[in-house]
């Protein structure tokens, strides 16, 4: 059992991070289904805006989202 700190953070135990290959700087998608919080490691080559495959690793945006930002 873990407690939230005053900022709403919770520590993921080292054993679980190691088992799931979660490292400092990795992004996690957080969702809630039926009163259960779900954490899912995000692929580094996924667009941050829409979730599609990313074409530009520097920005983590797919081509379509990049074009929308430039318009």
């Amino acid at each position: 059992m873990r407690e939230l700190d005053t900022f709403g953070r919770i520590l993921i135990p080292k054993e679980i991070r190691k088992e799931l290959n979660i490292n400092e700087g990795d992004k996690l998608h957080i969702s809630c289904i039926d009163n259960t919080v779900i954490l899912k490691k995000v692929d580094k080559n996924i667009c941050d805006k829409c979730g599609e495959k990313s074409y530009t690793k520097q920005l983590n945006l797919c081509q379509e989202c990049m074009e929308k930002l430039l318009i």
Side-chain angles (χ1 to χ4, degrees):
M1 184 177 297
R2 303 286 174 169
E3 289 185 20
L4 290 176
D5 68 10
T6 57
F7 295 103
R9 297 177 296 200
I10 190 168
L11 176 74
I12 301 172
K14 184 176 182 177
E15 303 81 35
I16 293 174
R17 287 182 282 139
K18 186 175 179 179
E19 180 179 334
L20 299 176
N21 194 27
I22 297 172
N23 301 298
E24 182 178 348
D26 286 346
K27 294 181 179 183
L28 300 175
H29 180 265
I30 304 170
S31 58
C32 181
I33 299 176
D34 295 329
N35 247 0
T36 301
V37 176
I38 299 170
L39 301 174
K40 182 177 180 184
K41 185 176 176 180
V42 176
D43 184 335
K44 291 181 182 178
N45 294 323
I46 297 292
C47 177
D48 287 343
K49 189 167 177 73
C50 72
E52 294 295 323
K53 285 289 182 187
S54 173
Y55 294 104
T56 59
K57 292 181 182 178
Q58 296 85 1
L59 298 176
N60 268 6
L61 293 173
C62 68
Q63 189 68 35
E64 187 176 333
C65 289
M66 276 186 27
E67 290 171 3
K68 286 178 184 177
L69 287 174
L70 296 175
I71 294 175

Coordinates of all heavy atoms in Angstrom, one line a residue:
M1 N 0.8 -1.2 0.0 CA 0.0 0.0 0.0 C 0.9 1.2 0.0 O 1.9 1.3 0.7 CB -0.9 0.0 1.2 CG -1.9 1.2 1.2 SD -3.0 1.2 2.6 CE -3.9 -0.3 2.3
R2 N 0.5 2.2 -0.8 CA 1.3 3.5 -0.9 C 0.3 4.7 -0.6 O -0.9 4.6 -0.8 CB 1.8 3.7 -2.3 CG 2.7 2.5 -2.8 CD 4.0 2.6 -2.1 NE 4.8 1.4 -2.4 CZ 6.1 1.3 -2.1 NH1 6.7 2.2 -1.5 NH2 6.7 0.2 -2.5
E3 N 0.9 5.7 -0.1 CA 0.1 7.0 0.2 C 0.5 8.0 -0.8 O 1.6 8.1 -1.3 CB 0.5 7.5 1.6 CG -0.1 6.6 2.7 CD 0.1 7.2 4.1 OE1 0.4 8.5 4.1 OE2 0.1 6.5 5.0
L4 N -0.5 8.8 -1.2 CA -0.2 10.0 -2.0 C 0.4 11.1 -1.2 O 0.1 11.2 0.0 CB -1.6 10.6 -2.6 CG -2.3 9.8 -3.6 CD1 -3.6 10.4 -3.9 CD2 -1.5 9.6 -4.9
D5 N 1.4 11.8 -1.8 CA 1.9 12.9 -1.1 C 1.1 14.2 -1.3 O 0.0 14.1 -2.0 CB 3.4 13.2 -1.5 CG 3.6 13.7 -3.0 OD1 2.6 14.0 -3.6 OD2 4.7 13.7 -3.4
T6 N 1.5 15.3 -0.8 CA 0.6 16.5 -0.9 C 0.4 17.0 -2.4 O -0.5 17.8 -2.6 CB 1.2 17.7 -0.1 OG1 2.6 17.9 -0.5 CG2 1.2 17.3 1.4
F7 N 1.2 16.6 -3.3 CA 1.1 16.9 -4.7 C 0.4 15.9 -5.5 O 0.2 16.0 -6.7 CB 2.5 17.1 -5.3 CG 3.3 18.3 -4.7 CD1 4.3 18.1 -3.8 CD2 2.9 19.6 -5.1 CE1 5.0 19.1 -3.3 CE2 3.6 20.7 -4.5 CZ 4.6 20.4 -3.6
G8 N -0.2 14.9 -4.9 CA -0.9 13.8 -5.6 C 0.0 12.8 -6.2 O -0.5 12.0 -7.0
R9 N 1.2 12.7 -5.8 CA 2.1 11.7 -6.4 C 2.2 10.4 -5.6 O 1.9 10.5 -4.4 CB 3.6 12.3 -6.5 CG 3.6 13.5 -7.4 CD 5.0 14.1 -7.3 NE 5.3 14.6 -6.0 CZ 6.3 15.5 -5.7 NH1 7.0 16.0 -6.7 NH2 6.5 15.9 -4.5
I10 N 2.5 9.4 -6.3 CA 2.7 8.1 -5.6 C 3.9 7.4 -6.2 O 4.2 7.6 -7.4 CB 1.4 7.2 -5.8 CG1 1.5 6.0 -4.9 CG2 1.2 6.8 -7.3 CD1 0.2 5.2 -4.9
L11 N 4.6 6.7 -5.4 CA 5.9 6.0 -5.8 C 5.5 4.7 -6.3 O 4.8 3.9 -5.7 CB 6.8 5.9 -4.6 CG 8.1 5.1 -4.8 CD1 9.0 6.0 -5.7 CD2 8.7 4.7 -3.5
I12 N 6.0 4.4 -7.5 CA 5.9 3.0 -8.1 C 7.1 2.2 -7.6 O 8.2 2.6 -7.8 CB 5.9 3.0 -9.6 CG1 4.7 3.9 -10.1 CG2 5.8 1.6 -10.2 CD1 4.8 4.1 -11.6
P13 N 6.9 1.1 -6.9 CA 8.0 0.4 -6.3 C 9.0 0.0 -7.3 O 8.7 -0.3 -8.5 CB 7.3 -0.8 -5.7 CG 5.9 -0.4 -5.4 CD 5.6 0.5 -6.5
K14 N 10.3 0.0 -6.9 CA 11.4 -0.3 -7.8 C 11.2 -1.7 -8.5 O 11.5 -1.8 -9.7 CB 12.7 -0.3 -7.0 CG 14.0 -0.5 -7.8 CD 15.2 -0.4 -7.0 CE 16.4 -0.6 -7.8 NZ 17.7 -0.4 -7.0
E15 N 10.7 -2.7 -7.8 CA 10.6 -4.0 -8.4 C 9.6 -4.0 -9.6 O 9.8 -4.6 -10.6 CB 10.0 -5.0 -7.3 CG 10.9 -5.1 -6.1 CD 10.6 -4.0 -5.1 OE1 9.5 -3.5 -4.9 OE2 11.6 -3.6 -4.4
I16 N 8.5 -3.2 -9.4 CA 7.5 -3.1 -10.5 C 8.1 -2.3 -11.7 O 8.0 -2.7 -12.8 CB 6.2 -2.4 -10.0 CG1 5.6 -3.4 -9.0 CG2 5.3 -2.1 -11.2 CD1 4.3 -2.8 -8.3
R17 N 8.8 -1.2 -11.4 CA 9.5 -0.4 -12.5 C 10.5 -1.3 -13.2 O 10.5 -1.2 -14.5 CB 10.2 0.8 -11.9 CG 9.2 1.9 -11.4 CD 9.9 3.1 -10.9 NE 10.3 2.8 -9.6 CZ 11.5 3.2 -9.1 NH1 12.3 3.9 -9.8 NH2 11.8 2.9 -7.8
K18 N 11.2 -2.1 -12.5 CA 12.2 -3.0 -13.2 C 11.5 -4.0 -14.0 O 11.9 -4.3 -15.2 CB 13.1 -3.6 -12.1 CG 14.2 -4.4 -12.7 CD 15.1 -5.0 -11.6 CE 16.2 -5.8 -12.2 NZ 17.2 -6.3 -11.2
E19 N 10.5 -4.6 -13.5 CA 9.7 -5.7 -14.2 C 9.1 -5.2 -15.5 O 9.1 -5.8 -16.5 CB 8.6 -6.3 -13.3 CG 7.8 -7.4 -13.9 CD 6.8 -7.9 -13.0 OE1 6.9 -7.8 -11.7 OE2 5.7 -8.4 -13.5
L20 N 8.6 -3.9 -15.4 CA 7.9 -3.3 -16.6 C 8.8 -2.4 -17.4 O 8.4 -1.8 -18.4 CB 6.7 -2.5 -16.1 CG 5.6 -3.3 -15.3 CD1 4.5 -2.4 -14.8 CD2 5.0 -4.4 -16.2
N21 N 10.1 -2.4 -17.1 CA 11.1 -1.6 -17.8 C 10.6 -0.1 -17.9 O 10.7 0.5 -18.9 CB 11.3 -2.2 -19.2 CG 12.6 -1.6 -19.8 OD1 13.5 -1.1 -19.1 ND2 12.6 -1.5 -21.1
I22 N 10.2 0.4 -16.7 CA 9.9 1.8 -16.6 C 11.0 2.6 -16.0 O 11.5 2.2 -14.9 CB 8.6 2.0 -15.8 CG1 7.4 1.3 -16.4 CG2 8.3 3.5 -15.6 CD1 6.2 1.3 -15.5
N23 N 11.5 3.6 -16.8 CA 12.7 4.3 -16.3 C 12.4 5.8 -16.2 O 11.4 6.3 -16.7 CB 13.8 4.1 -17.4 CG 14.2 2.7 -17.5 OD1 14.6 2.0 -16.6 ND2 14.0 2.1 -18.7
E24 N 13.3 6.5 -15.5 CA 13.2 7.9 -15.3 C 13.0 8.6 -16.7 O 13.7 8.3 -17.6 CB 14.4 8.5 -14.6 CG 14.3 10.0 -14.3 CD 15.5 10.5 -13.6 OE1 16.3 9.7 -13.1 OE2 15.6 11.8 -13.5
G25 N 12.0 9.5 -16.8 CA 11.8 10.2 -18.1 C 10.8 9.5 -19.0 O 10.3 10.1 -20.0
D26 N 10.5 8.2 -18.7 CA 9.4 7.6 -19.5 C 8.1 8.2 -19.3 O 7.8 8.7 -18.2 CB 9.3 6.1 -19.2 CG 10.5 5.2 -19.7 OD1 11.3 5.7 -20.5 OD2 10.7 4.1 -19.2
K27 N 7.2 8.2 -20.3 CA 5.9 8.7 -20.2 C 4.9 7.6 -19.9 O 5.1 6.5 -20.5 CB 5.5 9.4 -21.5 CG 6.3 10.6 -21.8 CD 5.9 11.3 -23.1 CE 6.7 12.6 -23.3 NZ 6.3 13.3 -24.5
L28 N 3.9 7.9 -19.1 CA 2.9 6.9 -18.7 C 1.6 7.5 -19.0 O 1.3 8.7 -18.7 CB 3.0 6.6 -17.2 CG 4.3 5.9 -16.7 CD1 4.2 5.7 -15.2 CD2 4.5 4.6 -17.4
H29 N 0.7 6.7 -19.7 CA -0.7 7.2 -19.9 C -1.5 6.7 -18.7 O -1.4 5.6 -18.2 CB -1.2 6.5 -21.2 CG -2.6 6.9 -21.5 ND1 -3.7 6.1 -21.1 CD2 -3.1 8.0 -22.1 CE1 -4.8 6.7 -21.4 NE2 -4.5 7.9 -22.1
I30 N -2.3 7.6 -18.1 CA -3.1 7.4 -16.9 C -4.5 7.4 -17.3 O -5.0 8.4 -17.9 CB -2.8 8.4 -15.8 CG1 -1.3 8.4 -15.5 CG2 -3.6 8.1 -14.6 CD1 -0.8 9.6 -14.6
S31 N -5.3 6.3 -17.0 CA -6.7 6.3 -17.3 C -7.4 5.7 -16.1 O -6.8 5.1 -15.2 CB -7.0 5.5 -18.5 OG -6.5 4.2 -18.5
C32 N -8.7 5.8 -16.1 CA -9.5 5.2 -15.0 C -10.7 4.4 -15.6 O -11.4 5.0 -16.4 CB -10.0 6.4 -14.2 SG -11.0 5.8 -12.8
I33 N -10.8 3.2 -15.2 CA -11.9 2.3 -15.6 C -12.5 1.7 -14.4 O -11.8 1.0 -13.6 CB -11.5 1.3 -16.6 CG1 -10.9 1.9 -17.9 CG2 -12.6 0.3 -17.0 CD1 -10.3 1.0 -18.9
D34 N -13.8 1.9 -14.2 CA -14.5 1.2 -13.0 C -13.8 1.4 -11.7 O -13.5 0.5 -11.0 CB -14.7 -0.3 -13.3 CG -15.6 -0.5 -14.5 OD1 -16.5 0.3 -14.7 OD2 -15.4 -1.6 -15.1
N35 N -13.4 2.7 -11.4 CA -12.8 3.0 -10.1 C -11.4 2.4 -10.0 O -10.9 2.3 -8.9 CB -13.7 2.6 -9.0 CG -14.2 3.7 -8.2 OD1 -13.9 4.9 -8.5 ND2 -14.9 3.5 -7.1
T36 N -10.8 2.0 -11.1 CA -9.4 1.5 -11.1 C -8.5 2.4 -11.9 O -8.8 2.7 -13.0 CB -9.4 0.1 -11.6 OG1 -10.2 -0.7 -10.9 CG2 -8.0 -0.5 -11.6
V37 N -7.4 2.8 -11.3 CA -6.4 3.7 -12.1 C -5.5 2.7 -12.8 O -5.0 1.8 -12.3 CB -5.6 4.5 -11.1 CG1 -4.5 5.3 -11.9 CG2 -6.5 5.5 -10.3
I38 N -5.3 3.0 -14.1 CA -4.5 2.2 -15.0 C -3.3 3.1 -15.5 O -3.5 4.1 -16.1 CB -5.3 1.7 -16.2 CG1 -6.4 0.8 -15.6 CG2 -4.4 0.9 -17.1 CD1 -7.4 0.4 -16.7
L39 N -2.1 2.6 -15.3 CA -0.9 3.2 -15.9 C -0.4 2.4 -17.0 O -0.2 1.2 -16.8 CB 0.2 3.3 -14.8 CG -0.2 4.1 -13.5 CD1 0.9 4.0 -12.5 CD2 -0.4 5.5 -13.8
K40 N -0.1 3.0 -18.1 CA 0.4 2.3 -19.3 C 1.6 3.0 -19.8 O 1.5 4.2 -20.1 CB -0.6 2.1 -20.3 CG -0.2 1.3 -21.6 CD -1.4 1.2 -22.5 CE -0.9 0.4 -23.7 NZ -1.9 0.3 -24.7
K41 N 2.8 2.3 -20.0 CA 3.9 2.9 -20.6 C 3.7 3.3 -22.0 O 3.1 2.6 -22.8 CB 5.1 2.0 -20.5 CG 6.4 2.6 -20.9 CD 7.6 1.7 -20.7 CE 8.9 2.2 -21.3 NZ 10.0 1.3 -21.1
V42 N 4.1 4.6 -22.4 CA 3.8 5.1 -23.7 C 5.0 4.8 -24.6 O 6.2 5.1 -24.2 CB 3.5 6.6 -23.7 CG1 3.3 7.2 -25.0 CG2 2.2 6.8 -22.8
D43 N 4.8 4.3 -25.8 CA 5.9 4.1 -26.8 C 6.5 5.5 -27.1 O 5.8 6.5 -27.3 CB 5.3 3.5 -28.0 CG 6.3 3.2 -29.1 OD1 7.4 3.8 -29.1 OD2 6.0 2.3 -29.9
K44 N 7.8 5.6 -27.1 CA 8.5 6.9 -27.4 C 8.2 7.4 -28.8 O 8.5 8.6 -29.0 CB 10.0 6.7 -27.1 CG 10.3 6.5 -25.6 CD 11.8 6.4 -25.4 CE 12.0 6.1 -23.9 NZ 13.4 5.9 -23.6
N45 N 7.8 6.5 -29.7 CA 7.6 7.0 -31.1 C 6.1 7.2 -31.3 O 5.6 7.0 -32.5 CB 8.1 6.0 -32.0 CG 9.6 5.9 -31.9 OD1 10.3 6.9 -31.8 ND2 10.2 4.7 -32.1
I46 N 5.4 7.7 -30.4 CA 3.9 7.9 -30.5 C 3.7 9.5 -30.4 O 4.3 10.1 -29.6 CB 3.1 7.2 -29.4 CG1 3.3 5.7 -29.5 CG2 1.7 7.6 -29.4 CD1 2.6 5.1 -30.8
C47 N 2.9 10.0 -31.2 CA 2.5 11.4 -31.2 C 1.9 11.8 -29.9 O 1.0 11.1 -29.4 CB 1.5 11.7 -32.3 SG 1.0 13.4 -32.4
D48 N 2.4 12.8 -29.2 CA 1.9 13.2 -27.9 C 0.5 13.8 -28.0 O -0.2 13.8 -27.0 CB 2.8 14.3 -27.3 CG 4.2 13.8 -26.8 OD1 4.3 12.6 -26.6 OD2 5.1 14.6 -26.7
K49 N 0.1 14.3 -29.2 CA -1.2 14.9 -29.3 C -2.3 13.9 -29.6 O -3.4 14.0 -29.0 CB -1.1 16.0 -30.4 CG -2.3 16.9 -30.5 CD -2.0 18.1 -31.3 CE -3.2 19.0 -31.5 NZ -3.5 19.7 -30.3
C50 N -2.1 13.0 -30.6 CA -3.2 12.2 -31.1 C -3.0 10.7 -30.8 O -3.9 9.9 -31.0 CB -3.4 12.4 -32.5 SG -2.2 11.8 -33.6
G51 N -1.7 10.3 -30.5 CA -1.5 8.9 -30.2 C -1.1 8.0 -31.4 O -0.8 6.8 -31.3
E52 N -1.0 8.7 -32.6 CA -0.6 8.0 -33.8 C 0.9 7.9 -33.9 O 1.6 8.5 -33.1 CB -1.1 8.7 -35.1 CG -2.6 8.7 -35.2 CD -3.2 7.3 -35.5 OE1 -2.5 6.5 -36.1 OE2 -4.2 7.0 -34.9
K53 N 1.5 7.0 -34.8 CA 2.9 6.9 -34.9 C 3.6 8.2 -35.2 O 3.1 9.0 -36.0 CB 3.3 5.9 -36.0 CG 3.1 4.5 -35.6 CD 4.1 4.0 -34.6 CE 3.9 2.6 -34.2 NZ 4.8 2.2 -33.1
S54 N 4.6 8.6 -34.5 CA 5.3 9.8 -34.7 C 6.3 9.8 -35.8 O 7.0 8.8 -36.0 CB 6.0 10.2 -33.4 OG 6.8 11.3 -33.5
Y55 N 6.4 10.8 -36.6 CA 7.4 10.9 -37.7 C 8.6 11.7 -37.2 O 9.7 11.6 -37.8 CB 6.8 11.6 -38.9 CG 5.7 10.7 -39.5 CD1 4.4 11.0 -39.3 CD2 6.0 9.6 -40.2 CE1 3.4 10.2 -39.9 CE2 5.0 8.8 -40.8 CZ 3.7 9.1 -40.6 OH 2.7 8.3 -41.1
T56 N 8.5 12.6 -36.2 CA 9.6 13.5 -35.8 C 9.8 13.2 -34.3 O 9.1 13.5 -33.5 CB 9.2 14.9 -36.0 OG1 8.0 15.2 -35.2 CG2 9.0 15.3 -37.4
K57 N 10.9 12.5 -34.1 CA 11.3 12.1 -32.7 C 11.6 13.3 -31.8 O 11.3 13.3 -30.6 CB 12.4 11.2 -32.7 CG 12.1 9.8 -33.3 CD 13.3 8.9 -33.3 CE 12.9 7.6 -34.0 NZ 13.9 6.6 -34.0
Q58 N 12.1 14.4 -32.4 CA 12.4 15.6 -31.6 C 11.2 16.2 -31.0 O 11.2 16.7 -29.9 CB 13.1 16.6 -32.5 CG 14.5 16.2 -33.0 CD 14.4 15.4 -34.3 OE1 13.3 15.2 -34.9 NE2 15.5 15.0 -34.8
L59 N 10.1 16.2 -31.8 CA 8.8 16.9 -31.3 C 7.8 15.9 -30.8 O 6.8 16.3 -30.2 CB 8.2 17.7 -32.4 CG 9.1 18.9 -33.0 CD1 8.4 19.5 -34.1 CD2 9.4 19.9 -31.9
N60 N 7.9 14.6 -31.1 CA 6.9 13.6 -30.7 C 5.6 14.0 -31.3 O 4.6 13.9 -30.6 CB 6.9 13.4 -29.2 CG 7.8 12.3 -28.8 OD1 8.6 11.8 -29.6 ND2 7.7 11.9 -27.6
L61 N 5.5 14.4 -32.5 CA 4.3 14.7 -33.2 C 4.2 14.0 -34.6 O 5.3 13.9 -35.2 CB 4.2 16.2 -33.5 CG 4.0 17.2 -32.3 CD1 4.1 18.6 -32.7 CD2 2.8 16.9 -31.5
C62 N 3.1 13.6 -34.9 CA 2.9 12.9 -36.2 C 2.8 14.0 -37.3 O 2.6 15.2 -37.0 CB 1.7 12.0 -36.3 SG 0.1 12.9 -36.1
Q63 N 2.8 13.7 -38.6 CA 2.8 14.6 -39.6 C 1.5 15.5 -39.6 O 1.6 16.7 -39.8 CB 2.9 13.9 -41.0 CG 3.1 14.8 -42.2 CD 4.4 15.5 -42.2 OE1 5.4 15.0 -41.7 NE2 4.4 16.8 -42.6
E64 N 0.4 14.8 -39.4 CA -0.9 15.5 -39.4 C -1.0 16.6 -38.3 O -1.4 17.7 -38.5 CB -2.0 14.6 -39.2 CG -3.4 15.2 -39.4 CD -4.5 14.2 -39.3 OE1 -4.3 13.0 -39.6 OE2 -5.6 14.6 -38.8
C65 N -0.5 16.2 -37.1 CA -0.5 17.2 -35.9 C 0.5 18.3 -36.2 O 0.2 19.5 -35.8 CB -0.2 16.5 -34.6 SG -1.6 15.4 -34.1
M66 N 1.6 18.0 -36.8 CA 2.6 19.1 -37.1 C 2.0 20.1 -38.1 O 2.1 21.3 -37.9 CB 3.9 18.5 -37.7 CG 4.8 18.0 -36.6 SD 6.4 17.5 -37.3 CE 6.7 18.3 -38.8
E67 N 1.3 19.6 -39.1 CA 0.7 20.4 -40.1 C -0.4 21.3 -39.5 O -0.5 22.5 -39.8 CB 0.1 19.6 -41.2 CG 1.1 19.0 -42.1 CD 0.6 18.0 -43.1 OE1 -0.6 17.8 -43.2 OE2 1.4 17.4 -43.8
K68 N -1.2 20.8 -38.5 CA -2.2 21.6 -37.8 C -1.6 22.7 -37.0 O -2.1 23.8 -36.9 CB -3.0 20.7 -36.9 CG -4.0 19.8 -37.7 CD -4.8 18.9 -36.7 CE -5.7 17.9 -37.4 NZ -6.4 17.0 -36.5
L69 N -0.4 22.4 -36.4 CA 0.2 23.5 -35.6 C 0.8 24.6 -36.5 O 0.9 25.7 -36.1 CB 1.4 22.8 -34.8 CG 0.9 22.0 -33.6 CD1 2.2 21.3 -33.0 CD2 0.2 22.8 -32.6
L70 N 1.2 24.2 -37.7 CA 1.8 25.2 -38.6 C 0.8 26.1 -39.4 O 1.1 27.1 -39.9 CB 2.7 24.5 -39.7 CG 3.9 23.8 -39.1 CD1 4.6 23.0 -40.2 CD2 4.8 24.8 -38.4
I71 N -0.5 25.6 -39.4 CA -1.5 26.4 -40.1 C -2.0 27.6 -39.2 O -2.1 27.6 -38.1 CB -2.7 25.5 -40.4 CG1 -2.3 24.5 -41.4 CG2 -3.9 26.3 -40.9 CD1 -3.4 23.4 -41.7

